[in-house]
Amino acid sequence: MTAESRPWSAPPATGPVTATVRLPGSKSMTARALILAALADGPSVIEAPLRARDTELMAAGLRAIGVGVDTTDPARWVVTPGPFRGPARIDVGLAGTITRFLPPAVALADGPIEFDGDPHMRKRPLRPIVAALRTLGVTVDASPIDGLPLTVHGTGPVEGGEVVIDASGSSQFVSGLLLSAPRFAKGLTVRHEGPPVPSAPHLRMTTHMLRAAGAVVDDSVADVWVVEPGTLRGRTWTIEPDLSGAAPFFAAAAVTGGAVTLAGWPADSWQPVEQAIGIFRALGAEVTRSADGLTVRGTGTLRGVTADLSEVGELTPVVSALAALAEGPSELRGVEHIRGHETDRITALATELGRVGATVSEFPDGLRIEPGPLHGAVFETYADHRMAHAAAVIGLSVPGVELADVGCTSKTLPEFPELWAGLVAQRS
């Protein structure tokens, strides 16, 4: 454990959990809004942003290259574009969004921009972004595996053109290139060649937000994205509540037979809500939408599932925890890409669910989970917020689950321990 580690006992539920929760904004939307605002032709406002380590590091990175990012009001950030300039050093922490979204943007800077972060980030894949930028004529210094530490030598304009990449490791490789593409002199065509790109809903979020900022994007051909050169408009972005961050709270309802409502859910969402609803229903929960928000109700039964999670890989840790508490075995597939997240989530989940008594087998792209008599244990979190969420869900039903470090939840939801304890204390 690191010096900042914060051991924590997961509170068990003593009855059905019934609550309405209000969660901060989507990390994915906040990160995209920050980049688009920094590249825009005038000021932008980001309403209800996620204020957490990942997004604060993104804001700090933009400030380092000359962008005004005023976060004085936590509910209303103001972004004022300015000419990107170096030299600058950017700390990415453990944020994949920064390492995939900012390098293409800072290629437009005047001067060298250095990137580095937490030790594990030096293992995370960046080669498709590095190779694409080099194809476009940008000078990039990188580690022997084309990862961090990394320096982008910005020279001002980027000509653009066409790149071919393998984005099977992360949809963020495509998103990162597309977000800056309108500012390239010739725009950009991105072609993916390789196994399917995971997390397709996040790519749709990127193209929706680009169009909302005034970009012309053609994604009518599978695995090809064409962005025309043009101006991005400053505007007001209203950030939705974070669906992935809500998953453990919804799981609390499913595990305890209670009901949890996520307040403030929009009628039309840019997040993969339909896929998430389908998974919770397959597990045995009821899901409804109303003016009050998105509600998950437990039915007293948790069923094993066979599910392709390729479009909602971020849900894998919480779904795995539910599978370990279900009445029958589950197979979760399509998530090989999560081996390259904050940790190798497939191996980490197999190890930790096994530690508390489940029988877990690994596939290259997922897990088979057979429930068994579960028992308390120290659940390692691997500096990974989603692993902490999984442990908290297990702890609802299994006394004695101790998280090695709950502090890692600060990556996307610093108040998670307090919110979770308050949730478990609210019973019907």
Side-chain angles (χ1 to χ4, degrees), residues 236-391:
T236 296
W237 298 99
T238 301
I239 308 301
E240 301 174 9
D242 194 291
L243 181 63
S244 296
F249 298 92
F250 290 149
V255 169
T256 67
V260 171
T261 298
L262 175 61
W265 189 256
D268 295 313
S269 173
W270 288 350
Q271 297 179 81
V273 62
E274 295 302 330
Q275 294 90 331
I277 287 174
I279 290 164
F280 274 96
R281 285 175 175 164
L283 285 159
E286 296 177 353
V287 187
T288 56
R289 280 181 282 190
S290 69
D292 294 329
L294 188 64
T295 300
V296 174
R297 291 180 175 82
T299 60
T301 299
L302 274 178
R303 296 191 295 261
V305 295
T306 298
D308 179 347
L309 302 183
S310 58
E311 295 201 342
V312 285
E314 287 285 324
L315 300 185
T316 305
V318 164
V319 174
S320 296
L322 290 171
L325 297 169
E327 294 181 349
S330 294
E331 280 196 12
L332 310 176
R333 306 297 289 263
V335 289
E336 184 173 3
H337 61 286
I338 72 171
R339 291 188 182 276
H341 282 195
E342 284 78 349
T343 188
D344 178 341
R345 285 180 175 165
I346 292 176
T347 294
L349 286 165
T351 301
E352 301 310 315
L353 294 177
R355 195 187 304 276
V356 297
T359 300
V360 186
S361 304
E362 287 188 45
F363 305 112
D365 70 336
L367 299 160
R368 177 178 172 82
I369 301 168
E370 298 181 35
L374 303 187
H375 53 78
V378 175
F379 200 105
E380 295 293 336
T381 50
Y382 304 85
D384 186 339
H385 55 149
R386 305 296 184 206
M387 291 296 295
H389 295 166

Side-chain angles (χ1 to χ4, degrees), residues 82-132:
F84 294 175
R85 62 176 184 269
R89 295 176 62 91
I90 293 175
D91 177 9
V92 309
L94 274 170
T97 48
I98 300 178
T99 59
R100 282 77 178 265
F101 292 3
L102 262 184
V106 304
L108 296 160
D110 181 11
I113 312 295
E114 300 176 29
F115 294 83
D116 206 354
D118 293 4
H120 180 74
M121 285 303 294
R122 295 190 173 194
K123 303 176 184 178
R124 293 190 73 174
L126 286 178
R127 181 164 289 155
I129 286 285
V130 171

Side-chain angles (χ1 to χ4, degrees), residues 16-108:
V17 169
T18 300
T20 296
V21 295
R22 292 186 177 274
L23 295 181
S26 158
K27 177 188 74 169
S28 299
M29 288 187 67
T30 303
R32 286 162 174 78
L34 281 167
I35 295 290
L36 291 170
L39 293 165
D41 62 353
S44 294
V45 173
I46 305 176
E47 295 182 342
L50 171 67
R51 187 163 200 157
R53 187 184 185 215
D54 276 17
T55 52
E56 288 179 337
L57 285 172
M58 178 77 88
L62 291 171
R63 291 189 195 103
I65 62 171
V67 178
V69 185
D70 183 352
T71 59
T72 305
D73 182 346
R76 189 178 185 273
W77 293 359
V78 179
V79 181
T80 305
F84 294 175
R85 62 176 184 269
R89 295 176 62 91
I90 293 175
D91 177 9
V92 309
L94 274 170
T97 48
I98 300 178
T99 59
R100 282 77 178 265
F101 292 3
L102 262 184
V106 304
L108 296 160

Side-chain angles (χ1 to χ4, degrees), residues 32 35-36 39 100-101 104-105 129 132 136 163 165 171-184 187-191 202-211 215-219 223-228 232:
R32 286 162 174 78
I35 295 290
L36 291 170
L39 293 165
R100 282 77 178 265
F101 292 3
I129 286 285
L136 295 172
V163 294
I165 66 171
S171 65
Q172 290 177 357
F173 295 135
V174 177
S175 289
L177 292 165
L178 297 184
L179 288 167
S180 295
R183 291 286 305 275
F184 297 167
L188 187 66
T189 297
V190 178
R191 297 182 185 274
H202 284 93
L203 277 174
R204 291 193 287 272
M205 179 188 292
T206 297
T207 56
H208 286 324
M209 293 182 72
L210 275 163
R211 291 181 180 119
V216 177
V217 185
D218 182 355
D219 57 356
D223 292 334
V224 179
W225 298 265
V226 180
V227 181
E228 296 183 11
L232 293 169

